[in-house]
Amino acid sequence: MSSVIPIRTETTGCTDVTPLVERGQREVFCGLTGIIWLHRKIQDAFFLVVGSRTCAHLIQSAAGVMIFAEPRFGTAIIDERDLAGLADVHEELDRVVNQLLARRPDIRLLFLIGSCPSEVIKLDLSRAAERQNQIHHPKVRVLNYSGSGIETTFTQGEDACLAAMVPGLRNDTSTAPALMVVGTLADVVEDQLRSLLERMRLQVNFFPPRNSQAMPTVGPNTRFLLAQPFLADTARALQSHGAQHLPAPFPLGVEGTTAWLQAAASAFGVAPEMFENATAAPRQRAEKALAVQRQVLQGQRIFFFPDSQLEIPLARFVHRELGMDLVEVGTPYLHRQHMAPELAWLPQGTRISEGQDVDRQLERCLADAPDLVVCGLGLANPLEAQGITTKWAIELVFTPIQGYEQAADLAGLFSRPLKRRTKLAA
Amino acid sequence: MQLTLWTYEGPPHVGAMRVATAMRDVHYVLHAPQGDTYADLLFTMIERLPRRPPVTYTTFQARDLGGDTAELFKDAARKAVARFKPAAMLVGSSCTAELIQDDPGGLAQALQLPIPVVALELPSYQRKENWGASETFYQLCRHLVHKPTERQPKARPSCNILGPSALGFRHRDDVKEITQLLNQLGVDVSVVAPLNASVADIQQLANADFNVVLYPEIGLSAAQWLQRQFDQPFTKTVPLGSRATRDFIAEVCALTGLTQPAQDPENAHATWYAKSVDSTYLTGKRVYIFGDATHAVAAARIASQEMGFEVVGLGTYSREFAREVRDCAKALGIEALITDDYLEVEDQIQALQPELILGTQMERHIAKRQGIPCAVISAPVHVQDFPARYAPQMGFEGANVLFDTWVHPLMMGLEEHLIGMFREDFEFHAGAAPSHLGSTRPAADISAAQPASPQTPAALTPSEPSTPKPPSSPTSSPASALPTQAASNQATWSIEAEKELGKIPFFVRGKARRNTERFAQDLGVATITVETLYDAKAHFSR
């Protein structure tokens, strides 16, 4: 019953690729945007941005309608008095944090989040966080990280957030190796991956947890798998606690998920038969579901604008499992080590670009006339108006896409705009 | 610092973007960190513009701060002129760039560009979006408007329409409606600005006979300047509502010497609709109004004079026009709320318990949480309030739109009567949404949504939808089965009184509860009985 994925022959890969590095206007989100999914993942955490009205406006625009459901994020807007002298900023912050915690007594973890304005005026938020910690201990823990645009791009905000939590993780003193999966995943995906790993008799902790009171432990026996490609700092912080990174492709598509699970299975000595037993059924199911999508997407030419660092794994998936042709794969930042297994799977000669000069990239895009463009919301409608079909990239961060059961859903995200175009044209 | 969960306005550079994006051949070079390009999607998604806003961002990063960010800006400005070939350019800073003080105006001047460059000073830590738009439009006029040419005697008087911009609430259709109205009166519209205006259009502004200021928040400064410089008068009435539209026509006729038409045009339905007997039940409905100053003041007038509502609360986030709103509130015998803190608005709505809220996107969701009908009358708005259909707010067609929009969320008359009479219906009960809204989702019951102690603002409790009553047993709701233990100085509700309260139509129940509690407190009554409830009713009905 299992249909075989027509893996292409040109698998010499892009390991040694020299990306096209560009500087210029970057049409990307800042790291503050990460708050939008992180506040839903860690349910007893509050995300307080210390920034300007622009920061508040950004989160509310990006969060759309959702903000009204008593959000677990907000902004302490810096005003003139704060700029006049740094002396009373910490007192101001005391006041705002008190006001906030009185309003939301259920909060157990508070993030003070740096923004461009707070970074530029060199507001010492780590000291502020320490101070707040002393004031509100033990009821509330206060951490800080930067989600500023000058330092982070979109999903890097999650990296900064998770990295800030790592030093507070309890040390794992047990001698048996333990598995940790790092990166925010949809609850349904988390449950599926946990169940797959448990079928291989592997116990797994997920980081970040759904509740700040359920933090995993970390130590020299921790082996971690990255579920997301944008976690460079988090990985480094975990490694500094002695944890070992298990290199793997990312769990997108059938191949990616299998290889990702295999990396854990190999590290923990899972017998091949047990791995096969655990994965065979969902794998075949996913392949069958993907075959339907492949009929729409095979041979279509796709162009990725940089957005989330998910672009390279996504490009690998759409190329190898759906037969799409890669025109350009843009990424805001290329972490060669974490991306190595992915790069090896890309067809040789793929045009990979790092960074952005949006006007020139748009010129290239229009000249290449791809069938589908993955880009941000600032570019999507303008490109559609020029007759180019787009898939807006942020949806890929807000949708369950990892694992076997989601492989066809992920493909569906790419095929839907093309189907729609055909339908409306008919 | 100010704790902000929701901001009614963006930063001032978003206002500048609204002016640049509204126009046709102006480019805006904005010194801003990476990430501030989020503002593009306000235009491409909320307003669904099919083009990128004409804005070049420098998008500097941390590593650039060690180097020459000024050079980065100059490079971006040079490239923008070469690539987009605008007729004029705006340059300015976002909030972060304001801190690093690169002086975009001076830098752009040093580039000696072949086009007019307007440097914007927008203090991001003091001012907000509408002020930014107003200042930008004013500066554009100051730099670009030419002295009027020798006025040729014209067959018809002409005017400009000032204020409509990108991302404006219904600006597209308001312009169309008011242009038609002026044309029918015999006035030509010379330039509409900034919406769809070119630099050449702006240069011609002084040639018209007078200005029509549709949105004072954006157009007033420019109009005042044009009056000072070129003796060009401008209209003070904003034609929102039937009466205001008639006043506007009178004002235009006074300015131009045209004769005022004796009758409303054929499409002016709102006045008759409000007079028809079907609207009688709207009399005295308690309404709360919040929005920008222009729309809030206009809505207050329409609500009280054209719809027969009782305005119980009025407020604005436009501090620049606080005085106008205060005056309007005073005339209605209430005190205006001038704030940009949505928690204050929420608290006031909670305290006043209106039957209808006319507000912004934010009030819509306060209303949702409190189970109060609501209509949107002002920005900020989301994508659904940039509709495909013709939906002006101004002029006579605008009045028609307003009538429909405001009445729609209210339960219709017959249903309201029947619910007051028969409370135990399993389908049509107080907890159910008005049946003409077609939803089976229960609306939050006002009494159930009330916190036990009125002294705990609802804002402080984590949001949770109030438990809808089981439709099969509407009388046995937990709220009426238990006496509500109120705060220490508050009277306690007896079980019977609580039950009796449940018989009061749901949309006035919150008000009745509050009045009764106040009455009991004033009299020092410890337990509220059915008698107290009716005593209070008689007391307050005087």
Side-chain angles (χ1 to χ4, degrees):
Chain A
M1 197 63 212
S2 86
S3 54
V4 179
I5 300 166
I7 292 177
R8 302 193 169 188
T9 44
E10 70 252 78
T11 45
T12 32
C14 276
T15 308
D16 299 321
V17 72
T18 311
L20 174 65
V21 178
E22 288 204 297
R23 301 286 310 275
Q25 178 177 325
R26 293 165 67 110
E27 188 83 19
V28 290
F29 279 128
C30 66
L32 294 181
T33 329
I35 294 169
I36 290 162
W37 62 92
L38 284 166
H39 87 279
R40 286 296 169 91
K41 184 70 194 180
I42 315 174
Q43 288 166 16
D44 57 350
F46 193 98
F47 294 79
L48 180 66
V49 179
V50 181
S52 63
R53 187 168 302 281
T54 311
C55 308
H57 196 234
L58 157 84
I59 312 175
Q60 98 187 18
S61 307
V65 172
M66 184 177 82
I67 186 161
F68 308 107
E70 189 62 21
R72 290 188 293 262
F73 51 81
T75 310
I77 294 186
I78 298 172
D79 57 33
E80 277 189 307
R81 291 177 307 121
D82 303 309
L83 295 177
L86 277 173
D88 69 332
V89 163
H90 291 283
E91 284 167 30
E92 283 287 290
L93 211 49
D94 288 356
R95 186 177 55 74
V96 168
V97 170
N98 280 333
Q99 192 187 351
L100 177 68
L101 293 178
R103 194 180 150 77
R104 297 301 304 255
D106 47 334
I107 294 305
R108 306 295 305 274
L109 176 61
L110 174 67
F111 288 100
L112 298 181
I113 303 168
S115 63
C116 302
S118 75
E119 302 287 333
V120 168
I121 62 171
K122 306 241 181 288
L123 188 59
D124 191 345
L125 280 187
S126 66
R127 227 184 67 206
E130 259 173 51
R131 182 186 158 98
Q132 297 302 328
N133 246 330
Q134 280 162 10
I135 299 172
H136 298 287
H137 181 81
K139 198 172 170 306
V140 182
R141 257 183 76 209
V142 186
L143 296 175
N144 84 288
Y145 70 89
S146 170
S148 71
I150 56 178
E151 283 165 327
T152 56
T153 307
F154 195 28
T155 47
Q156 280 179 318
E158 174 173 335
D159 189 24
C161 174
L162 301 196
M165 283 194 281
V166 172
L169 297 183
R170 273 183 303 114
N171 195 27
D172 184 2
T173 48
S174 65
T175 47
L179 179 62
M180 184 197 278
V181 169
V182 185
T184 298
L185 291 168
D187 292 344
V188 59
V189 174
E190 201 175 289
D191 294 342
Q192 285 168 10
L193 293 177
R194 186 194 301 278
S195 139
L196 281 170
L197 289 163
E198 278 173 356
R199 261 184 262 166
M200 297 177 225
R201 310 256 163 79
L202 295 178
Q203 290 302 310
V204 58
N205 284 311
F206 285 85
F207 181 62
R210 296 183 196 186
N211 187 298
S212 75
Q213 303 304 299
M215 289 285 178
T217 56
V218 66
N221 285 306
T222 307
R223 311 277 182 272
F224 69 90
L225 271 175
L226 294 178
Q228 300 282 8
F230 43 73
L231 298 171
D233 288 349
T234 308
R236 202 159 33 238
L238 288 168
Q239 281 163 332
S240 75
H241 279 64
Q244 286 172 37
H245 173 220
L246 304 177
F250 294 93
L252 298 171
V254 178
E255 268 192 309
T257 305
T258 306
W260 186 83
L261 290 168
Q262 183 65 61
S266 305
F268 286 82
V270 173
E273 311 82 68
M274 188 186 276
F275 184 83
E276 187 59 24
N277 281 339
T279 58
R283 204 168 63 215
Q284 282 165 18
R285 195 161 55 222
E287 281 168 359
K288 195 178 154 196
L290 269 183
V292 181
Q293 297 289 343
R294 191 159 53 240
Q295 288 169 359
V296 183
L297 292 168
Q298 182 107 39
Q300 300 283 333
R301 301 168 66 248
I302 188 168
F303 189 114
F304 288 86
F305 276 78
D307 192 57
S308 63
Q309 299 184 45
L310 278 163
E311 295 82 5
I312 288 174
L314 287 171
R316 176 266 298 166
F317 163 68
V318 299
H319 175 69
R320 289 170 64 96
E321 300 190 38
L322 298 168
M324 296 184 82
D325 290 331
L326 307 176
V327 179
E328 175 168 332
V329 184
T331 176
Y333 175 69
L334 178 60
H335 192 293
R336 279 198 174 270
Q337 205 189 335
H338 290 173
M339 215 50 87
E342 294 285 353
L343 289 173
W345 269 357
L346 281 184
Q348 200 170 28
T350 303
R351 191 207 300 162
I352 294 176
S353 64
E354 184 183 10
Q356 188 176 33
D357 180 336
V358 71
D359 290 313
R360 290 173 54 182
Q361 195 166 25
L362 277 168
E363 271 174 10
R364 283 203 302 276
C365 177
L366 292 175
D368 291 330
D371 298 303
L372 185 66
V373 174
V374 181
C375 63
L377 291 173
L379 300 177
N381 272 338
L383 282 170
E384 291 279 354
Q386 294 187 64
I388 291 186
T389 308
T390 61
K391 163 79 222 98
W392 50 285
I394 306 154
E395 197 176 15
L396 296 159
V397 181
F398 291 159
T399 312
I401 57 168
Q402 292 86 358
Y404 290 124
E405 313 304 343
Q406 281 68 237
D409 298 344
L410 175 55
L413 290 179
F414 293 100
S415 63
R416 193 175 304 132
L418 292 167
K419 280 187 190 158
R420 182 168 183 79
R421 169 151 293 234
T422 317
K423 265 182 192 285
L424 297 187
Chain B
M1 277 180 203
Q2 191 201 349
L3 177 62
T4 308
L5 302 188
W6 164 267
T7 163
Y8 282 101
E9 291 182 75
H13 72 258
V14 169
M17 285 184 70
R18 288 175 55 185
V19 172
T21 306
M23 293 183 60
R24 282 188 282 158
D25 51 4
V26 168
H27 200 85
Y28 184 18
V29 182
L30 179 62
H31 206 16
Q34 165 177 266
D36 280 4
T37 51
Y38 84 86
D40 281 357
L41 64 89
L42 303 172
F43 300 93
T44 60
M45 297 305 291
I46 295 180
E47 203 175 4
R48 290 186 221 248
L49 286 189
R51 56 180 190 277
R52 291 174 66 209
V55 183
T56 294
Y57 306 76
T58 54
T59 62
F60 56 82
Q61 293 175 270
R63 58 176 178 219
D64 300 313
L65 291 177
D68 196 350
T69 48
E71 196 52 50
L72 202 67
F73 175 84
K74 279 157 72 175
D75 194 41
R78 230 183 273 119
K79 279 187 183 159
V81 172
R83 182 179 291 272
F84 300 103
K85 301 185 176 58
M89 197 161 78
L90 298 167
V91 297
S93 296
S94 76
C95 50
T96 304
E98 191 182 328
L99 298 170
I100 57 176
Q101 298 182 335
D102 276 335
D103 183 23
L107 293 171
Q109 207 172 20
L111 290 177
Q112 299 194 307
L113 299 169
I115 51 168
V117 174
V118 179
L120 298 174
E121 296 286 343
L122 307 175
S124 309
Y125 298 91
Q126 273 176 299
R127 304 293 191 157
K128 288 175 281 187
E129 179 178 332
N130 279 335
W131 187 88
S134 171
E135 172 71 9
T136 303
F137 184 44
Y138 163 68
Q139 291 294 347
L140 270 171
C141 290
R142 276 197 54 174
H143 281 80
L144 298 176
V145 173
H146 287 167
K147 270 215 162 68
T149 48
E150 202 59 40
R151 287 213 179 130
Q152 302 290 328
K154 284 175 293 188
R156 283 155 62 99
S158 69
C159 71
N160 305 309
I161 292 180
L162 303 184
S165 73
L167 217 62
F169 177 61
R170 307 293 167 87
H171 288 196
R172 177 195 71 190
D173 298 342
D174 284 348
V175 166
K176 189 173 171 197
E177 185 66 21
I178 296 306
T179 303
Q180 277 171 6
L181 186 85
L182 289 162
N183 287 343
Q184 279 161 13
L185 282 174
V187 179
D188 288 330
V189 174
S190 159
V191 174
V192 178
L195 192 62
N196 295 323
S198 65
V199 167
D201 290 336
I202 300 283
Q203 288 169 337
Q204 300 304 314
L205 276 180
N207 286 334
D209 297 319
F210 68 102
N211 287 314
V212 168
V213 180
L214 285 194
Y215 308 99
E217 277 84 355
I218 299 173
L220 185 62
S221 310
Q224 285 170 336
W225 179 80
L226 287 163
Q227 185 176 41
R228 282 198 302 275
Q229 293 295 309
F230 309 111
D231 284 332
Q232 225 177 3
F234 63 89
T235 57
K236 317 282 192 296
T237 315
V238 179
L240 273 162
S242 306
R243 290 185 183 221
T245 302
R246 289 182 209 117
D247 292 351
F248 172 79
I249 291 170
E251 197 182 1
V252 168
C253 291
L255 278 172
T256 53
L258 292 164
T259 31
Q260 201 175 335
Q263 283 183 331
D264 288 346
E266 271 185 13
N267 72 331
H269 306 299
T271 309
W272 163 243
Y273 269 48
K275 274 185 189 156
S276 72
V277 293
D278 195 43
S279 300
T280 311
Y281 83 111
L282 300 176
T283 314
K285 284 237 182 262
R286 308 172 70 257
V287 58
Y288 185 90
I289 298 171
F290 195 87
D292 68 20
T294 301
H295 287 87
V297 168
R301 183 176 179 193
I302 300 166
S304 63
Q305 297 178 4
E306 299 179 27
M307 304 290 282
F309 294 149
E310 182 195 352
V311 180
V312 294
L314 173 65
T316 185
Y317 56 82
S318 315
R319 284 184 191 281
E320 292 86 352
F321 295 86
R323 191 196 296 165
E324 284 82 345
V325 181
R326 285 207 182 92
D327 290 348
C328 175
K330 211 171 169 186
L332 291 162
I334 51 178
E335 197 176 334
L337 176 68
I338 313 294
T339 186
D340 56 1
D341 184 349
Y342 103 92
L343 298 175
E344 267 187 66
V345 179
E346 189 180 59
D347 286 350
Q348 198 179 43
I349 290 174
Q350 173 80 25
L352 289 169
Q353 290 292 322
E355 292 161 68
L356 174 68
I357 299 171
L358 302 174
T360 71
Q361 174 76 5
M362 194 56 222
E363 281 67 48
R364 175 146 69 193
H365 293 268
I366 294 175
K368 192 160 95 186
R369 273 168 61 184
Q370 301 197 18
I372 302 173
C374 179
V376 170
I377 57 157
S378 160
V381 292
H382 209 59
V383 63
Q384 62 271 49
D385 276 300
F386 285 89
R389 68 174 187 279
Y390 186 53
Q393 304 281 290
M394 292 186 179
F396 291 109
E397 188 60 35
N400 298 341
V401 170
L402 290 176
F403 182 90
D404 291 347
T405 311
W406 295 9
V407 172
H408 179 75
L410 297 169
M411 182 173 284
M412 294 173 79
L414 179 60
E415 182 162 65
E416 193 179 291
H417 282 298
L418 289 174
I419 283 194
M421 287 178 72
F422 310 109
R423 318 204 50 76
E424 298 185 17
D425 194 287
F426 65 95
E427 278 175 286
F428 306 104
H429 56 89
S435 60
H436 76 283
L437 298 179
S439 167
T440 52
R441 183 172 49 102
D445 184 345
I446 290 173
S447 75
Q450 295 282 316
S453 156
Q455 290 190 329
T456 313
L460 294 188
T461 59
S463 78
E464 47 193 26
S466 56
T467 329
K469 291 181 190 175
S472 52
S473 56
T475 48
S476 66
S477 84
S480 57
L482 295 167
T484 310
Q485 183 56 55
S488 54
N489 60 341
Q490 288 279 335
T492 316
W493 285 80
S494 71
I495 294 171
E496 294 74 27
E498 190 82 36
K499 259 189 192 158
E500 199 69 15
L501 181 69
K503 294 176 190 166
I504 292 173
F506 62 94
F507 45 89
V508 287
R509 198 180 302 150
K511 179 75 179 166
R513 174 186 286 275
R514 249 152 230 284
N515 279 350
T516 310
E517 283 169 358
R518 188 143 57 100
F519 180 75
Q521 201 179 343
D522 289 350
L523 263 67
V525 174
T527 309
I528 295 171
T529 61
V530 177
E531 299 302 310
T532 327
L533 179 65
Y534 285 113
D535 283 347
K537 189 184 175 201
H539 175 79
F540 285 106
S541 71
R542 278 179 297 175

